Amino acid sequence: MKILMCRPDYYGIEYEINPWMNVQRPVDHAAAVRQWEGLYKTIQSCGAQVELVAPIKGLPDLVFTANAGLFFQGKIILANFKFKQRQGEVPYFKTWFEQAGFVQLNVPGIDQSHAFFEGAGDALPAGNQLFAGYGFRTEREFYKKANYLDQTQIIYCELVDPYFYHLDTCFCPLNDQQAIWNPAAFSKKSQKNMADHLELFAVNEIEAKRFACNAVVLDKQIIIPTGCPQLTVLLEKLGYTVHACAMDEYIKAGGACKCLTLRVD
Ligand code: ARG
């Protein structure tokens, strides 16, 4: 398994594009570096290979590689960010994907539908189904226009709570049949739709706000933020080995373990 990450050299809270971010609540840089290194080492210890994209000054959210795009059937579907504060990340991710030899879809100027798409932050595969988050960042229209996606396999997930603005903040498939989620983050219709396709385990409200659902699943190993005891018990019951990583400096920006990673194989 290969995962793309970006060192937090220039990470910080420099603007506010989600309710977690507050420029008056800055990042403790040394702690952010420690937490990132902890996650990086944990991912490697679980047997995954980590690739790195170079950090860029002035792009503090580049650390959240989950939003770079979505790895899909051997290709990369490139992101089209909603906020101009993050749009500058695209060329750097694009170059990295090019140099790594990936065929790219949704390339600006070639086949972009103009609808917003924030990559694996909003689109999460489980088996051959694609759980498609929309409502705050990615637009539903994006999935509709993406003709390379099998429309019959798309499960639409409408996000309704601004604190859970990306799908990966409130939903995480564990395997082809099971997932954890924060049901309150979804519209009633989507709750039902999602429950029709997977066995869903709810996290509690406190742990949801600790980014419990923002987990990195590496087969039977799972990496979650610290402060999620109830989820830990559940995952262990389901046969997972749980690794908890401190993520408080990233929660300040509205992200945690999963947001800092992108699967690229
Ligand atoms: N500050 C970033 C933003 O608002 C955080 C992104 C978190 N990424 C994620 N995949 N949930 O865009």
Side-chain angles (χ1 to χ4, degrees), residues 17-18 21 61 64 66-67 86 121 137 165-166 168 253-254 259:
I17 57 169
N18 70 54
M21 300 176 93
D61 277 339
F64 297 112
N67 299 119
R86 295 201 65 185
R137 301 292 183 87
Y165 59 95
H166 276 141
D168 70 358
C259 304

Side-chain angles (χ1 to χ4, degrees), residues 211-251:
F211 277 73
C213 295
N214 203 246
V216 181
V217 184
L218 301 164
D219 291 322
K220 291 306 262 185
Q221 317 243 30
I222 185 161
I223 308 169
I224 62 171
T226 52
C228 302
Q230 193 174 309
L231 176 63
T232 303
V233 170
L234 169 78
L235 292 170
E236 284 174 352
K237 251 194 225 145
L238 293 173
Y240 288 86
T241 304
V242 180
H243 306 264
C245 283
M247 282 286 123
D248 302 78
E249 295 307 319
Y250 296 94
I251 292 175

Side-chain angles (χ1 to χ4, degrees), residues 105-134:
L105 301 166
N106 198 34
V107 175
I110 301 178
D111 63 349
Q112 197 173 57
S113 70
H114 295 296
F116 299 125
F117 174 57
E118 299 205 352
D122 268 331
L124 300 179
N128 51 14
Q129 312 180 102
L130 183 68
F131 287 80
Y134 71 97

Side-chain angles (χ1 to χ4, degrees), residues 179-234:
I180 52 173
W181 72 334
N182 170 21
F186 298 94
S187 69
K188 284 277 176 270
K189 194 172 162 200
S190 291
Q191 287 180 18
K192 178 165 184 317
N193 195 19
M194 293 165 77
D196 282 345
H197 288 88
L198 284 176
E199 183 184 3
L200 293 162
F201 300 94
V203 302
N204 73 36
E205 218 182 302
I206 295 169
E207 296 187 12
K209 290 216 157 125
R210 293 280 311 159
F211 277 73
C213 295
N214 203 246
V216 181
V217 184
L218 301 164
D219 291 322
K220 291 306 262 185
Q221 317 243 30
I222 185 161
I223 308 169
I224 62 171
T226 52
C228 302
Q230 193 174 309
L231 176 63
T232 303
V233 170
L234 169 78

Side-chain angles (χ1 to χ4, degrees), residues 34-65:
R34 268 198 311 278
Q35 293 176 3
W36 187 93
E37 290 289 338
L39 177 66
Y40 176 66
K41 293 205 176 100
T42 306
I43 291 173
Q44 288 175 323
S45 77
C46 290
Q49 184 187 330
V50 181
E51 303 278 341
L52 294 171
V53 57
I56 304 288
K57 197 166 188 295
L59 294 174
D61 277 339
L62 198 71
V63 287
F64 297 112
T65 52

Side-chain angles (χ1 to χ4, degrees), residues 66-95:
N67 299 119
L70 172 68
F71 182 77
F72 172 77
Q73 295 179 345
K75 302 184 174 117
I76 286 285
I77 308 173
L78 213 60
N80 176 25
F81 285 95
K82 173 171 180 175
F83 289 108
K84 68 169 184 330
Q85 290 93 329
R86 295 201 65 185
Q87 288 168 359
E89 298 175 28
V90 175
Y92 294 98
F93 284 129
K94 194 172 176 311
T95 303

